Amino acid sequence: MAKREKSKRLQVVITEEQDSLLIKTAYQLSNPERLISKSEVVRLGIQLLNRAVESGELDPELLESLDQS
Amino acid sequence: MAKREKSKRLQVVITEEQDSLLIKTAYQLSNPERLISKSEVVRLGIQLLNRAVESGELDPELLESLDQS
């Protein structure tokens, strides 16, 4: 993260299943030259979700999964 | 979140810009019957990103944005 930007600490409660998903995704995005952290996955997820919402491309099925969590 | 599931506390450092994006996205996903929290947006983002990675649909441009953050 660029140092000039102000940063905020965000606390999120997730299930163990989501934590596993997070680790798995971080691993899948990593390569021998670049390790992706769980924080980076979360930041990327925020960006991805924002894009999906802005462009109206959000899978409605994904929204429904919110009600179960 | 279902009470039977074990939960974990996740701490993520985000920029103020990403925090604004998070609030904006939460608002866009909310409706008069359902308020979406920032935590829910993060959980949804994790799911969305995992799906994109699993299906190989991840926008490469988004991955590049990681290097700037």
Side-chain angles (χ1 to χ4, degrees):
Chain A
M1 200 172 310
K3 284 199 179 109
R4 64 192 150 72
E5 288 185 86
K6 281 185 193 165
S7 63
K8 282 198 147 195
R9 209 168 282 268
L10 183 74
Q11 273 218 22
V12 186
V13 175
I14 57 173
T15 62
E16 285 199 339
E17 199 191 330
Q18 280 166 326
D19 189 57
S20 303
L21 209 62
L22 203 49
I23 295 169
K24 195 175 152 197
T25 306
Y27 174 76
Q28 286 171 321
L29 291 173
S30 293
N31 63 53
E33 274 104 45
R34 177 100 170 83
L35 264 185
I36 304 295
S37 68
K38 289 203 282 183
S39 271
E40 282 171 311
V41 172
V42 169
R43 293 201 290 267
L44 204 53
I46 295 169
Q47 274 176 262
L48 193 66
L49 182 56
N50 177 254
R51 286 194 185 194
V53 170
E54 296 272 327
S55 62
E57 279 169 6
L58 191 67
D59 181 357
E61 195 196 304
L62 202 66
L63 259 183
E64 277 166 35
S65 75
L66 264 186
D67 295 316
Q68 297 152 14
S69 66
Chain B
M1 201 172 308
K3 286 205 177 103
R4 63 190 151 72
E5 288 185 87
K6 282 184 193 166
S7 63
K8 282 196 149 197
R9 210 168 281 269
L10 183 74
Q11 274 219 22
V12 187
V13 175
I14 57 174
T15 62
E16 286 199 339
E17 198 191 329
Q18 280 167 326
D19 190 57
S20 303
L21 209 61
L22 203 49
I23 294 170
K24 195 176 154 196
T25 307
Y27 174 76
Q28 285 171 321
L29 291 173
S30 294
N31 63 55
E33 273 103 47
R34 177 103 169 84
L35 264 184
I36 304 294
S37 68
K38 290 203 282 183
S39 272
E40 283 170 311
V41 173
V42 169
R43 294 200 291 267
L44 205 53
I46 295 170
Q47 274 175 262
L48 193 66
L49 182 55
N50 177 255
R51 286 194 186 193
V53 171
E54 297 270 328
S55 62
E57 279 169 7
L58 192 66
D59 182 357
E61 196 196 303
L62 202 65
L63 259 182
E64 277 165 34
S65 73
L66 263 186
D67 295 316
Q68 298 153 13
S69 66

